[in-house]
Amino acid sequence: MTQAVKTPVYLDYHATTPVDPRVFEAMQRYFCAEFGNAASSEHRFGWVAESAVKQARQRIASLIGAQRVAEIIFTSGATESNNLAILGAMRANAHKGDHLISVVTEHKAVLDPCHWWRQQGGRVTLLPVAEDGLIDLAALEAAIDERTVLISVMAANNEIGVLQDIAAIGALAKQRGVLFHSDAAQAAGKIPLDMEAMGLDLCSFSAHKFYGPKGVGALYVRRRNPRVRLAPLLFGGGHEQGLRSGTLNVPGIVGMAEALALAVAEMDEEAARLTALRERLWRHLAAGLEDLTLNGHKTKRLPGNLHVSVADVEPEKLLTAVKDLALSSRSACTSASQEPSHVMAALGLDEQRLQAAVRFGLGRFTSEAEVDYAAARMVSMVAQLRRENTVAQHS
Ligand SMILES: Cc1ncc(COP(=O)(O)O)c(C=O)c1O
């Protein structure tokens, strides 16, 4: 018997995640009781805040395999981290080169700084992806020239969940003496990340993607082998080693560290649980729906990501019809536009698959009952919409 589920069922964990109550608990005292400014060095309020930030920085550094605590720069999220990494590295290294390599399926928070760099007269190569969403390492290698400063490749895609081979790209970048940045907004806390082992020089994080608060993130900036130079985007009080001025978001930073620690501690078990739930969802959908296709690589994907195309159904209509499921047909950041997403367009799929994409994002609080409910609702609603289409065509 199906258990009762509370609706709407949240299946949009790539857009954002709820703050885990354990994270909220850890943050709470830094709002009202311990509200000090971490830069106030003359009194206890400041010391308490500073010590909380220091501890959070240490925890994050050790959780991501950074060699030095000072390699963690707190920001407002992955958008800011990506902008600082890309524009900061290109500007600071203008004497070495003007060329930047990234990928067509990156998040807009990477693509837009790339476009801006191009508008300033810089050179940008955006690599294509295969139908499975993966880049070709040989093409990446061939794109590197003597004026290439930076390679930026996301660890996990926010739409199709595809995981690029970060360690292999890091090894190649090292070998060619090029800096390597990765947008790990979707990957952090879901798959193992190790800055040292993966040869990363810069890496972007966002707390709200791993059950931490919104509006806080970090940029990992390598200090040795090589020491990465960045030009800041924000000027002011000289916080974060002059790389990011602005009063630190102490509760947010504490929450981010707690959230990452929990996600890393529970990663293996959670990944297995989500993979099983995703497969269950796929099985139910595939059993009930004809012409269902999976988008993105079959196994090299985030455990909680299922991205499908449902032929002959307009996703906007479908998602409006199933109001009791919180789903997305493209990334939240671009969903205001009606065009197929740039990620889907890059896969080279036929128009049918391109137009009919639905993203399921499963997460920490997704249950088996919710997956079963979602699959049943999708199957019945698609059948109804297809019947309506047929009637419309014949009338
Ligand atoms: C891959 C990726 N990069 C960057 C971002 C932007 O992150 P933030 O919301 O922290 O600015 C997101 C969030 O949608 C994302 O999924």
Side-chain angles (χ1 to χ4, degrees):
M1 217 186 81
T2 351
Q3 258 175 278
V5 300
K6 219 172 120 218
T7 56
V9 177
Y10 190 72
L11 293 169
D12 204 10
Y13 278 84
H14 300 298
T16 194
T17 62
V19 172
D20 188 299
R22 296 168 291 179
V23 170
F24 186 55
E25 168 74 30
M27 293 170 67
Q28 251 176 351
R29 61 185 272 247
Y30 295 98
F31 283 103
C32 302
E34 304 292 1
F35 59 87
N37 185 329
S40 300
S41 55
E42 277 139 358
H43 50 71
R44 192 198 155 271
F45 295 91
W47 303 331
V48 171
E50 195 213 349
S51 137
V53 169
K54 186 174 169 197
Q55 206 194 343
R57 208 186 294 278
Q58 277 164 348
R59 289 179 90 187
I60 293 171
S62 96
L63 288 163
I64 63 170
Q67 299 294 293
R68 280 155 284 271
V69 173
E71 293 177 326
I72 308 302
I73 302 297
F74 289 114
T75 66
S76 63
T79 299
E80 186 188 334
S81 296
N82 288 342
N83 274 266
L84 178 58
I86 295 169
L87 298 178
M90 295 313 290
R91 284 174 179 160
N93 292 285
H95 57 291
K96 292 190 184 148
D98 62 345
H99 185 225
L100 150 65
I101 302 173
S102 192
V103 183
V104 287
T105 48
E106 293 289 315
H107 191 274
K108 295 282 183 194
V110 163
L111 291 176
D112 281 358
C114 289
H115 296 325
W116 192 88
W117 180 246
R118 188 180 271 153
Q119 279 166 10
Q120 301 309 301
R123 288 181 306 131
V124 179
T125 302
L126 291 181
L127 298 170
V129 294
E131 195 179 319
D132 60 10
L134 289 170
I135 60 162
D136 175 7
L137 284 180
L140 170 60
E141 183 158 23
I144 300 173
D145 65 32
E146 70 288 352
R147 302 271 298 156
T148 306
V149 170
L150 178 73
I151 297 170
S152 180
V153 179
M154 73 200 318
N157 186 271
N158 48 301
E159 291 188 37
I160 52 176
V162 166
L163 308 177
Q164 303 288 350
D165 191 345
I166 294 303
I169 300 168
L172 174 63
K174 283 277 144 317
Q175 198 192 326
R176 300 294 300 267
V178 176
L179 295 177
F180 177 35
H181 165 249
S182 184
D183 174 355
Q186 294 290 340
K190 324 262 174 53
I191 58 163
L193 285 177
D194 186 309
M195 302 299 109
E196 204 55 33
M198 292 175 156
L200 282 152
D201 298 309
L202 292 154
C203 191
S204 303
F205 298 87
S206 176
H208 76 98
K209 304 290 187 182
F210 49 80
Y211 310 93
K214 293 169 185 60
V216 61
L219 179 66
Y220 161 80
V221 185
R222 179 179 288 280
R223 296 282 292 231
R224 216 173 284 165
N225 295 324
R227 181 187 176 99
V228 178
R229 306 266 171 207
L230 292 182
L233 302 179
L234 297 181
F235 298 90
H239 307 76
E240 300 300 272
Q241 304 159 60
L243 285 178
R244 202 279 183 177
S245 285
T247 301
L248 291 177
N249 173 358
V250 180
I253 288 167
V254 168
M256 177 172 176
E258 182 69 14
L260 191 60
L262 290 169
V264 169
E266 296 167 5
M267 185 183 289
D268 291 351
E269 210 177 311
E270 182 64 354
R273 190 185 76 86
L274 287 176
T275 306
L277 276 184
R278 178 184 78 199
E279 274 158 18
R280 185 182 178 99
L281 177 60
W282 170 255
R283 274 199 313 276
H284 286 350
L285 291 174
L289 294 174
E290 270 173 49
D291 297 328
L292 182 78
T293 42
L294 178 71
N295 300 316
H297 195 280
K298 222 168 159 219
T299 52
K300 290 181 187 171
R301 66 192 306 138
L302 287 169
N305 176 284
L306 185 70
H307 196 287
V308 296
S309 287
V310 196
D312 306 322
V313 175
E314 284 171 47
E316 313 300 334
K317 258 194 193 163
L318 178 61
L319 298 190
T320 319
V322 283
K323 280 209 172 47
D324 48 352
L325 305 182
L327 281 169
S328 166
S329 58
R330 53 173 70 83
S331 83
C333 319
T334 45
S335 62
S337 78
Q338 293 298 304
E339 285 163 34
S341 86
H342 68 283
V343 175
M344 287 300 286
L347 302 182
L349 307 175
D350 61 44
E351 197 60 22
Q352 270 279 356
R353 267 178 82 181
L354 202 62
Q355 291 295 346
V358 179
R359 176 184 74 179
F360 293 88
L362 315 181
R364 186 172 290 168
F365 304 103
T366 309
S367 67
E368 229 170 53
E370 286 179 329
V371 160
D372 293 355
Y373 178 86
R377 288 287 291 132
M378 289 292 287
V379 167
S380 76
M381 205 38 84
V382 169
Q384 187 184 322
L385 290 174
R386 281 180 177 163
R387 268 196 310 275
E388 286 171 13
N389 277 351
T390 320
V391 172
Q393 276 162 16
H394 288 90
S395 60

